[in-house]
Amino acid sequence: MNETHGDTIMRVENLAVHFPMGGGLFGGQRRWLHAVDGVDLELKRGECLGLVGESGCGKSTLALSLLGLQAPTRGRIILDGHDVSGSAGKDRKDRARFAQMVFQDPYSSLNPRQTVRTTLEAPLRLHGVTSRSEIDDRIADVLKHVGLRTDQAERFPHEFSGGQRQRIGIARALILRPKIIILDEPVSALDVSIRAQIINLLLELKETLGLSYVMISHDLGVVEHMSDRVAVMYLGRIVETGGWETIFTNPQHPYTRALIAAIPDPFSRTTGVKITGEIPNPLNPPTGCGFHPRCPEARDICRIPPAPLLEAIAEDHLVRCRRVGEFA
Amino acid sequence: MLKTFAIASALALTMGGIAEAQTPRKGGTIRLTAPYGSSFANLDIHTSNRAQDEIYAKAIHRTLYNWDSAANKPVLELATGVTASPDGLVYTFKLRDDAIFHHGRKMTADDIIWTFNRLMDGTKAYPGARYVRIIKGAVDVEKGQAKTISGLKKIDDTTLEITLTSKVDPGFYFHAAMTSIYPADEAVKESFNSKPIGLGPYKFLEYVPGSRLVGERWEKFYKPGKPYADKVSISIMGEAAARDVAFRNKEIDTSILGPAQYVAYQGDPALSKGLLEVAEVYTRNMGMNQNFKPFADKRVRQAINHAIDSDLIIKRLVKGKAYRATGWLPLSSPAYDKNLKPYAYDPEKAKKLLAEAGYADGFEFEWTATSNESWGIPIVEAVIPMLEKVGIKVKIKPVEGTVLSEVVSKGEYQAYIWSNTSGPDPLEALKCFHSATPQSACNYTAFKNANLDKVLDEAAASEGEKRIELLKKANAIVQEEAPVWFFNYNKAVMAYQPWLKGLQPNATELAIQYPEELWVEESSPAAK
Amino acid sequence: MLSFIVRRLLQTIPIILAVALLIFVMFSVIPGTFASSMGDDGRGMLDAQVMERMNKEFGLADPVYVRFGKYIAQLAQLDLGMSFRTRQPVSSVLADRMWPTLQLSFAAMMFSIVIGVPLGFIAALRPGSIIDTVSMVGAVSGLSVPKFWLGLLMMYFFALQLGWLPSFGYGDGGLRYLTLPAVALGVAPLALLARTTRAAVLEIMNADFVRTARSKGMSEWRVVQWHLARNALVIVLTTIGLQFGTVIGQAVVIEKLFAWPGLGSLLVDSVTLRDIPVVQGAILLIVMFFLLVNTLVDVLCAIIDPRIKYT
Amino acid sequence: MKIRANLLIGGVLFATVILAGILAPLLAHTDPVMDANLMFAEEPPGGEFWFGTDAQGRDIYSRVLYGARISLTVGIVSQLINTVIGVCLGLSAGYWGGWWDDFVNGLTNLMLAIPSLIFALAIMAILTPGLTSLLIALGLTNWSFTCRLARASALSLKSQGYVQAAKVLGYGDIRIMLTQLLPNMLGPIIVIGTLGMGGAVLAEASLSFLGLGIRPPFPSWGSMLSDARDQITTAPWISVFPGLAIFMTVLGLNLLGDGLRDILDPQSRTRRA
Amino acid sequence: MSQKPLLEVENLRIDLSIGDTKFPAVQDVSFTIGRGETLGLVGESGCGKSITALALIGLLRHPLSIGGGIIRFDGREIQSLSPAQMRQLRGDRISMIFQEPMTALNPLSPVGRQIAEMFVLHKGASWRDAERQAVEALASVRVPAPERRVKDYPHQLSGGMRQRVMIAIALACSPDLLLADEPTTALDVTVQAEILDLIRDLCAERGTAVLMISHDLGLIANMCRRVGVMYAGRIVEERAAEDVFRAPSHPYTSGLVASLPLLGARARQGRHRLMEIAGVVPPVAAFPAGCRFHPRCRASTEICVAADPEVTLLPNGGSVRCHHHE
């Protein structure tokens, strides 16, 4: 069963994740939170896909479903040609060898009671690597890749600095030799002076090990620097997607434009076109285009249900906006 | 042969060393304690056979007979005279015509008949039924085959004829508080449960469940001039240590003492003056189950009696608050044999007996015991090393009192330690070793001895001195057969405040006092 | 608000039912019966006929499931059954004993709250000071003493040696009689409340919003008054609610020692005498009381703390 | 350095009790059960009998030493049972959530609603008094706080990166609970366990007072204290020494618990409530 | 108006006590802020920027304490003020906004009341008047429907709204100096932009000077005229904002600027390997001797290990603390 052509390593089709809210024995009315609401994505081999959006846009839930930690309500996830949707727990071990994750907070993402060696050795043993020498080799190998010394393996996380911890986190993600790595805000919790080290390391690893990345970030500078393609999410949906250059030099969706404009420019005190208001409550999303209450370009047409479709306006450039034609 | 009992008017005559020749003072409150638990069962004395409840019952209620502590026998209370038929089965009572219930009505024979019929109500299981059952036809009522007891006949309002099933002294049966006479008209009412009405010297005033019961003087009590005090208050105090503090703090007038406090009070110059000691009719013993192989052998049972230094335990652990048991019948029993010698402490002899019985290397048994300080685990703990010396190992099986009575009556034990009533009627007490008595009744060791059965049957058929002689003989047989380790007879000790006068040394249960005999002097904190 | 209270009360029903089931099952296997308990004072047993009759009268002869069915049917009609011992409805037996226990446990809690909470507060405002050290050493000691031992010592000291107070009993139910048992019962919750209050205040002292309050230029007293007290109160209230359960449990010991005629001594007595309907009723009542107090605490917390939803 | 003071004093007190228990056969002068000699009943402290003798003439010093064994067994074993129950239920409930969590929550509320002393009392009456019964009674009735704590910890820990990472690496649920969650919640649980041990020693004394504790001949402090309460005016030493032993042990455990809390669980408030 | 600067900080030292030892978490920090001026302090976590702000408002708590130096506010040394005088200053003339708007507000008190407290404390207003003024204050931070919002509790508000409430509190008494400690770090980018605009506009209106603290160099450069760069408890460089990016003098600043993936950089110059600063930020207890940056500095020489660099004034008005400044 091979449903994708050769260079697509992962495809997500119409994925949705809904959570029940409230309810229970005496709990009142049960409502559904549409965290992810119909997402289509494609990740090509060796590519870094940047996933951009503000808090509550559903990017983290999306990542969890990709890893099999969150069962999707509907939709399909096709990994390397195999449909793995539906099962959140059963094939966890199989999926572990295919996709891994690097976490945002290097402090909470390492078990404080385990040495680096235990952290790296336990997954190997779990996945059937039992020979002492092979384990040692693979640990040494992965530590070398992330720039740590082998003798540091016997230490506990608290003996490392933040940057080093993130290297350990990366080593843990690499130890099973996965093909895809999900990077969840990989540098935002690090000291500014350390970020470049990790960014450079991740880019190197991508080349040398032939990895594919899905990177979640709200830091547009990092996204621009690292991504090959970018998807912008808002209220559980992708509102604009395309190559990095397209998104950063020719953004079409008003939300993408606003995001870029919101970054303080160190060289000028002027400010771009800004949006006001806050992200709506996902439990009670606006009708029609979810962005219309904050959109400086909103017209009556934007308020009419259903939500606008994600339409191609150029090759590899899709935008979810009814008025996109008028902006050109 | 006609037997006439004198009216028991001489109660106050012999008060041991306590009653001094002085005029009883009127007024004040008598503050008694009920020491056996933290509550009364309820206010219907027919439902409870506990000593605890009998304490208040004697203030509120009256029975046909009463226990004369001085003469140590039952005497007529609600009757002025009684005649027995020659065959000893039909008793005709001349009832008091001055006994007036607290609601103002005079007692008649109907009230007694009503009361006894009530006790036999088979659907209610009143514990007092065991006494009434000696009346002819009572069992039929219990089984629902008759409406009224045929053996009860009202001649007129003050004359009652009772026909018995066997030749026994009804006095031993109808002095129990469980047979208190109720007013037939009032006792059927729901309110009776919370506001009892009786014939006693004190009229029910208030009851705080779990705390105290208070009665006030019944002006129309049939004994002239009595009761003396205005009120009687009975505080429920199960905790000995708390009772000790309260007594020393002069908050209560009487306190029943345990061994520890007995010593302390004896040693205290002030407190030692107010101690009343009585040989009660309880025999503390270790029962041995004869279905447990070693105990089937008489020699083993005797060996145990020889192996334990009972005197030492009584002296040091029980602090002298007990009398050494010679046989089953206690000191205060009319059939007590002064000449009977207790088993001597003789470990060598014990070893010899054990060897003869085939237990030269000893054996091990399980000893079921409660935590009671006078007849429970503390005693067992002191005995263990003594038995160990003759090669017998003991494992304690601790249980609650409720469980003890259940396992013992079912025979599900190897040995137990308990305190059992051994009086006041010696025949009744010894019948417990009659093979016809079921284990569930009181033959707890399932004792069988043809010789004893014969002597007891003879005793039942005889009377007077002859009966006493036969009972002494039976007691000797029981001692020889040693179904139990004869430990001690209880010495009950009551501490009383110097201002409290008129206490009676009641051998059936010292805590049970007739409050109409008591009075308090001016010095009492509650004299007003 | 009202619906919140109703909902919280409804939520206690499953717990009460579960307790009823648990207690029933537990006491259906207890050795000994009420009838056999009547012989435990050594005055002679009931005869076998009466025992059998008694067991039949009390329905103990039926198989367990029949008894449980009857029991539940009774409960459904809010009938707790008849006491074996008093031969009266359990509800009236409980009614007699409830007030003294309420009196005692409320008095003990009042004592512990009135002293414990301010003590913890003062200790927290001056951490490391003499008063802090002394009160916390006192608190940890108060938690470490066997309760009946403490009660006994107090009895000897205050009643016998000093003669200030009566040593035992309910008396007229007044303060003189209440004081000693309430204090003996209240020492442990006092110690715990002092510690909890201190910890809660210290924790809130370090909260960001207290720093905000200081940055507004508030004096320490104002900070305590306007911002600290209410926040600490939520934690302290919860502790008080839970402590009620402990206090009622420990009341068993204190009531027995001081001859206090409450539910606790009734319960112990009824267990000893196997008066099972009273045991079941008393435990149910205690549980219901505990749940009621905690529902009340929840409601109070919801009033104080708007984050707790009560719509 | 107040933190160290409570840890130090608590540790020393507790260590003393442990040593007394372990070395009882070496330190004791007599056998605590068999050497009852009524000739020496109720001797006051001094000379041959350092702490005096009890009503049966047994050496209180020896019995207090052996009593440490019972009290430690009661404290440690019952608390171990509580901890295992509490952790198993709380950890799995917090981690899995859903109906299991609701069920465990209900069970915990049930346990909280019945005062634990009353619950233990009922269990003791049913099982008949004795050490095993006591361990069961105290071990089954005090796990609710541990359970709540374990549940709360599991809830907050399960969103930690390393737990997510373990899932991503393909760990099974049980393995995650045992290797990732459990070691990281152990600190506060040990604290609660330590404090609970003191509570168990006190509960044993209370149950003994109510006549439902450990029964002799084994010397438990609770029953020694309870049995001797009537002799408090005549022979106070019989109850003073076991009373002091209980007080010192519980005080030690409480101080130790406080000290451990300062180290292991710095941000906690008094969860024991 | 006096010609003296509003705030003068000279050789401020803040000690961190660990056991009996005191470590200088902040040392030799000097700067001035004029009336209505905005100064940015930028640095990584642990560099001492936040505690400097807390020192200015007198809120340092154990284990931190002022170990030396002078803080002069409007000509008065604040260390010499009594606690009561300091309280009068706090909130009224110097106020502060904190990073985490969730926890910085009392969860049990309606936000209106928390604003109103300011008027009661400093303006002697009655509660009734204060509550009314709170509505106005809330309106001034552009909160829609303020008369309803004043009754809300913090948990009912979004992060951005809470931070607006904090700003309303901080600016309620029109202070002379606002200390803004990472006011937008916890917020989303679009909300951050709004809040920054708000602070900028309101302070300009009131003539309030701002000390803005952040780890985000871009944000500080955008917001402030002058920037102080802090590293390991010291200000290593102080410049006009635009110079910091264009011509950084200190190796740390230049390293930092070169390591940032700035938006638009890739579009302009293509993807390049980012400059890395080696090593890690040292903890307070392990600040190195000599120049504190020397273990991580590419230009480090012997003198950097041996001697503490002095402050050097730069020709264009800035200053730098480096032996080898560019």
Side-chain angles (χ1 to χ4, degrees), chain A residues 54-55 161 191-194 196-197 200 204 221 224-227 244 259 265-266 268-269 274 277-278 294, chain E residues 44-45 158 161 188-190 194 197 221-222 224 245 261 264 266 271-277 279-280 296:
Chain A
E54 294 174 283
S55 55
S161 68
D191 271 324
V192 183
S193 65
I194 304 298
Q197 299 174 5
N200 287 340
E204 274 167 30
E224 187 195 37
H225 185 78
M226 287 185 68
S227 306
W244 72 270
L259 272 183
D265 183 348
S268 91
R269 205 140 290 133
K274 284 185 182 164
E278 316 229 353
R294 303 175 70 194
Chain E
E44 297 174 274
S45 56
S158 66
M161 281 297 168
D188 277 318
V189 280
T190 54
E194 282 186 273
D197 281 354
N222 177 276
C224 308
F245 265 93
R266 186 177 174 193
R271 181 140 84 190
H272 57 283
R273 194 184 152 86
L274 295 173
M275 266 275 277
E276 289 178 21
I277 302 174
V280 297
R296 303 178 70 188

Side-chain angles (χ1 to χ4, degrees), chain C residues 138-157:
Chain C
V140 79
S141 306
L143 281 175
S144 310
V145 188
K147 232 144 272 137
F148 67 87
W149 180 242
L150 183 71
L152 208 54
L153 293 178
M154 278 175 35
M155 215 182 240
Y156 271 89
F157 194 66

Side-chain angles (χ1 to χ4, degrees), chain B residues 37-42 47-52 54 121-127 129-130 133 139 142-143 193-194 208-212 235-237 239 241-242 244-246 248-249 251-252 282 375 400-403 405-406 409 418-421 440-441 444 508-509 512, chain C residues 30-51 53-54 57 84-89 93 96-97 100 152 155-156 159-160 163 165-173 177 256-262 265-266 269 271-274:
Chain B
S38 51
S39 59
F40 293 131
N42 57 27
T47 63
S48 169
N49 67 339
R50 295 179 162 271
Q52 176 86 337
E54 201 154 341
D121 183 342
T123 62
K124 285 289 193 282
Y126 291 111
R130 68 197 263 200
R133 219 174 275 140
V139 177
E142 192 172 27
K143 287 180 181 155
N193 281 331
S194 52
V208 183
S211 177
R212 66 180 186 278
S235 294
I236 303 166
M237 291 195 73
E239 191 55 42
D244 179 30
V245 176
R248 289 167 186 264
N249 212 19
E251 293 171 64
I252 49 178
Y282 289 98
W375 42 270
E400 288 174 273
T402 303
V403 180
S405 47
E406 185 168 274
S409 65
W418 208 355
S419 164
N420 298 104
T421 331
S440 62
Y444 303 130
T508 63
E509 173 59 66
I512 299 169
Chain C
I30 195 166
T33 60
F34 173 66
S36 71
S37 83
M38 306 239 354
D40 71 347
D41 65 355
R43 304 185 88 209
M45 311 263 291
L46 298 181
D47 50 284
Q49 286 163 297
V50 172
M51 265 207 194
R53 209 161 262 138
M54 241 180 204
E57 188 198 340
F84 297 167
R85 186 158 63 128
T86 71
R87 304 194 184 211
Q88 280 170 18
V93 177
D96 285 338
R97 299 296 198 95
L152 208 54
M155 215 182 240
Y156 271 89
L160 193 59
L165 295 162
S167 67
F168 83 102
Y170 187 63
D172 53 2
Y177 288 90
K256 184 158 187 264
L257 181 67
F258 284 91
W260 190 262
S265 57
L266 174 73
D269 256 20
V271 168
T272 313
L273 300 178
R274 304 294 187 260

Side-chain angles (χ1 to χ4, degrees), chain C residues 183-198:
Chain C
V183 169
L185 188 55
V187 163
L190 183 153
L192 209 69
L193 270 179
R195 283 157 58 101
T196 312
T197 308
R198 179 177 179 272

Side-chain angles (χ1 to χ4, degrees), chain D residues 85-158:
Chain D
I85 295 176
V87 166
C88 285
L89 290 178
L91 179 53
S92 57
Y95 182 76
W96 275 320
W99 68 268
W100 174 244
D101 188 28
D102 291 343
F103 174 75
V104 171
N105 251 334
L107 211 59
T108 315
N109 286 336
L110 178 71
M111 293 302 298
L112 278 175
I114 309 178
S116 58
L117 185 66
I118 288 180
F119 207 161
L121 183 119
I123 296 179
M124 288 307 283
I126 289 158
L127 297 178
T128 74
L131 181 59
T132 322
S133 312
L134 189 78
L135 293 179
I136 295 172
L138 295 179
L140 290 182
T141 50
N142 282 303
W143 50 262
S144 41
F145 288 110
T146 311
C147 180
R148 284 190 156 190
L149 176 66
R151 180 176 172 275
S153 308
L155 270 177
S156 75
L157 288 178
K158 80 173 175 181

Side-chain angles (χ1 to χ4, degrees), chain A residues 55-66:
Chain A
S55 55
C57 73
K59 54 189 199 289
S60 300
T61 310
L62 177 62
L64 290 180
S65 338
L66 296 181

Side-chain angles (χ1 to χ4, degrees), chain B residues 367-427:
Chain B
W367 196 342
T368 306
T370 67
S371 56
N372 189 289
E373 60 173 341
S374 307
W375 42 270
I377 286 165
I379 307 295
V380 174
E381 286 178 287
V383 170
I384 288 177
M386 299 177 179
L387 290 181
E388 178 92 8
K389 280 206 188 99
V390 299
I392 303 174
K393 285 196 175 8
V394 177
K395 238 170 68 190
I396 304 183
K397 185 185 178 196
V399 293
E400 288 174 273
T402 303
V403 180
L404 178 75
S405 47
E406 185 168 274
V407 296
V408 167
S409 65
K410 286 182 179 161
E412 292 163 354
Y413 67 92
Q414 291 176 354
Y416 64 80
I417 181 161
W418 208 355
S419 164
N420 298 104
T421 331
S422 46
D425 183 358
L427 176 61

